[in-house]
Amino acid sequence: MQLANVGTADRLFRLVVGAILIALPFFVPSMALPAPTGIASTAAGAILIITALIKFCPIYGIFGLRTRPKD
């Protein structure tokens, strides 16, 4: 089982930034889907939201980082 390594402040930041990145293609005409920038923005936003929801960031795991205090 993977240990959670994303803390509360980090999770909130990821949720806010992820939501903004997903919303951008709907409000910025040059990023409208299916433009590559719109797809990249949506994908990055989705990854941030997923990592916030599961409380685990694979990149943090690779580098041994954590923003969540140890239990």
Side-chain angles (χ1 to χ4, degrees):
M1 180 177 166
Q2 298 172 340
L3 300 175
N5 62 4
V6 178
T8 304
D10 193 2
R11 289 179 66 207
L12 290 174
F13 177 78
R14 288 169 184 264
L15 287 171
V16 170
V17 173
I20 291 169
L21 287 173
I22 288 175
L24 271 177
F26 297 101
F27 295 104
V28 179
S30 63
M31 292 180 69
L33 295 173
T37 54
I39 293 170
S41 174
T42 304
I47 290 168
L48 287 174
I49 289 175
I50 290 168
T51 57
L53 294 176
I54 64 172
K55 302 178 186 177
F56 180 76
C57 176
I59 294 174
Y60 281 9
I62 290 170
F63 291 106
L65 303 172
R66 61 185 298 124
T67 57
R68 182 172 189 241
K70 292 187 177 184
D71 297 328

